[in-house]
Amino acid sequence: MAMQHEPRAGSWYVNKTGKLMKVKLLMFDKDLLTKVMIEFLDGMRVTVDSDAWGYLDLDVIWHDERRTSVSAR
């Protein structure tokens, strides 16, 4: 069963195969999270929808407490 963590821009996660990834960008539509862009250490970026994020089996490594959510209107 996948562990659910809310994605936070600037935070680091590790998946069950040991790949380290950072949340680079959160995309919203009408204040609802729609997509999450993650970047792996090799520079590869992947965008997943918010439903797919919930199925990723991730452990939180580090949250960037300095970052805050900004909603563009």
Side-chain angles (χ1 to χ4, degrees):
M1 178 178 209
M3 190 74 160
Q4 294 212 2
H5 297 284
E6 187 165 331
R8 294 171 61 178
S11 295
W12 290 89
Y13 301 84
V14 66
N15 66 15
K16 73 185 249 182
T17 63
K19 285 192 173 183
L20 189 63
M21 64 190 73
K22 182 177 185 177
V23 173
K24 296 294 285 184
L25 181 70
L26 301 174
M27 292 172 247
F28 292 85
D29 182 23
K30 298 180 184 172
D31 294 332
L32 295 175
L33 179 66
T34 58
K35 297 194 182 288
V36 179
M37 179 186 288
I38 55 177
E39 181 176 38
F40 295 93
L41 287 178
D42 64 3
M44 182 178 76
R45 291 183 179 178
V46 176
T47 303
V48 297
D49 65 30
S50 59
D51 292 332
W53 173 265
Y55 288 103
L56 297 178
D57 194 6
L58 303 173
D59 288 321
V60 177
I61 299 299
W62 183 73
H63 280 304
D64 187 349
E65 297 297 332
R66 297 172 295 166
R67 300 219 178 207
T68 58
S69 297
V70 176
S71 178
R73 303 255 181 222

